[in-house]
Amino acid sequence: MKTWLITGCSSGFGQRLALAAAQRGDQVIATARNVKSIEEMAAPFAGRMITLPLDVTDAAAARSAVNKAVETFGGFDVLVNNAGYGLYGAIEEGTPEEYRPMFEVNVFGLIETTRAALPVLRRKGGTIVTMSSGAGIAGGGGGGYYNAAKFAVEGISEALAGELEPFGIRVLIVEPGPFRTDFLGRSIIMAAQEMPDYAASSRKHYRETNDGNQAGDPDKAIAVILQAVDADDAPLHLPLGPIAHAIAERKLAAFRRDIDAWRDISIATDFDRP
Ligand SMILES: NC(=O)c1ccc[n+]([C@@H]2O[C@H](COP(=O)([O-])OP(=O)(O)OC[C@H]3O[C@@H](n4cnc5c(N)ncnc54)[C@H](OP(=O)(O)O)[C@@H]3O)[C@@H](O)[C@H]2O)c1
């Protein structure tokens, strides 16, 4: 039996993961900004699922959720940094009022939640699951701010994987393509400023045509995440769904082409040795 601390459980992946873990007999600390939104979900699992308020931008609330988890279940084995939202629009269209809060949630919120959880996880090891994205694998026009936030998530997670290995803590970076959650609905903000010059790279159309039509089934995604958390040989990177896999393959091939094409020129940069 595992004990999970999950952020952003009011809908989507967080909600489904909390339910799936509780349904198989695990213990869950389900958290959400508005704790009332998750009370009904937890009701059938009294004693095995507790609900706590956690806005991930509030570091004190993260510490208090961790303390409550220790008080109730003696700790937890899996931290799931799931809370997040997107900001679409060209870089020139976005404003600090739009992009800074997005970084506060997706990046600094994840850092604070992780920092609060580490003293507990380091005691007996465990797993940190971070919800990155296909957008964390490769950048694309119209999604640069979200790309930047998820790239930060990838960098932090890769560094954590190395630094936490001696403590028996594994990191699983989940990189979903489009899945049918609330994400393209209420969890995407479009930059208010729309510049006609960027019409070609605008994501507005992408969101309107894809919301509700995403090919990805979030319940199947959760089944894969559970399998990976249980496995002894889980990967560090877990692209989810065929679109995320295609993004990863394209990125690897393009990276390989860049490295090879300029290798002789770009490698000749060390001081000459006598
Ligand atoms: N679905 C996809 O296609 C997709 C693809 C790649 C990556 N992802 C990632 O998957 C994660 C979950 O998204 P989802 O697809 O499940 O979308 P979702 O159904 O919209 O869920 C997003 C969750 O994040 C929570 N959240 C937002 N800001 C928060 C904050 N400050 N503190 C705590 N919780 C906060 C939301 O809570 P409220 O109810 O309080 O707003 C909600 O529970 C995100 O990190 C997202 O970037 C999703």
Side-chain angles (χ1 to χ4, degrees), residues 8-14 33-34 54-57 82-85 105 131-134 146 150 176-179 181-183 186-187:
C9 290
S10 68
S11 64
F13 291 132
R33 280 195 282 203
N34 172 7
L54 177 55
D55 180 327
V56 295
T57 61
N82 166 70
Y85 73 94
V105 174
M131 292 304 279
S132 176
S133 170
Y146 185 57
K150 291 301 189 185
F179 278 80
T181 64
D182 287 0
F183 187 70
R186 68 191 185 89
S187 293

Side-chain angles (χ1 to χ4, degrees), residues 11-272:
S11 64
F13 291 132
Q15 181 188 58
R16 285 173 167 84
L17 184 55
L19 279 170
Q23 276 157 1
R24 72 178 203 171
D26 286 354
Q27 293 175 326
V28 180
I29 302 109
T31 70
R33 280 195 282 203
N34 172 7
V35 74
K36 287 208 176 326
S37 67
I38 54 175
E39 279 167 2
E40 199 182 314
M41 165 181 78
F45 305 104
R48 247 184 315 125
M49 189 190 291
I50 61 165
T51 57
L52 296 174
L54 177 55
D55 180 327
V56 295
T57 61
D58 181 349
R63 287 192 296 274
S64 133
V66 165
N67 290 340
K68 191 76 192 165
V70 172
E71 235 172 72
T72 312
F73 295 129
F76 46 88
D77 316 289
V78 191
L79 167 68
V80 185
N81 283 311
N82 166 70
Y85 73 94
L87 167 64
Y88 282 177
I91 296 297
E92 198 179 347
E93 290 173 321
T95 61
E97 291 71 25
E98 291 167 329
Y99 59 74
R100 285 181 183 270
M102 196 264 303
F103 279 88
E104 285 296 337
V105 174
N106 292 359
V107 180
F108 301 117
L110 175 144
I111 291 173
E112 293 307 339
T113 309
T114 305
R115 291 180 68 235
L118 280 177
V120 175
L121 284 173
R122 278 193 296 106
R123 278 186 220 153
K124 55 186 176 77
T127 305
I128 297 176
V129 179
T130 54
M131 292 304 279
S132 176
S133 170
I137 300 174
Y145 289 113
Y146 185 57
N147 288 139
K150 291 301 189 185
F151 271 49
V153 167
E154 297 260 339
I156 292 159
S157 305
E158 287 183 6
L160 282 170
E163 117 195 343
L164 297 178
E165 200 188 352
F167 303 101
I169 302 172
R170 298 178 316 165
V171 177
L172 177 69
I173 309 172
V174 182
E175 295 152 334
F179 278 80
R180 216 172 292 173
T181 64
D182 287 0
F183 187 70
L184 284 184
R186 68 191 185 89
S187 293
I188 287 281
I189 291 174
M190 304 300 299
Q193 181 186 197
E194 257 191 89
M195 299 171 63
D197 313 65
Y198 288 105
S201 60
S202 165
R203 288 288 184 98
K204 206 168 192 138
H205 179 66
Y206 171 82
R207 178 195 191 186
E208 281 158 8
T209 52
N210 287 289
D211 187 22
N213 297 316
Q214 301 96 323
D217 176 345
D219 287 321
K220 290 188 178 168
I222 294 309
V224 177
I225 294 170
L226 285 172
Q227 193 179 336
V229 169
D230 289 343
D232 290 331
D233 60 348
L236 173 58
H237 295 274
L238 185 68
L240 269 188
I243 292 180
H245 270 263
I247 292 170
E249 297 287 4
R250 274 201 305 274
K251 169 83 181 220
L252 287 171
F255 214 153
R256 169 57 62 202
R257 275 196 305 276
D258 282 352
I259 292 172
D260 289 347
W262 276 62
R263 179 182 305 275
D264 292 345
I265 300 165
S266 67
I267 215 166
T269 50
D270 283 355
F271 287 108
D272 290 334

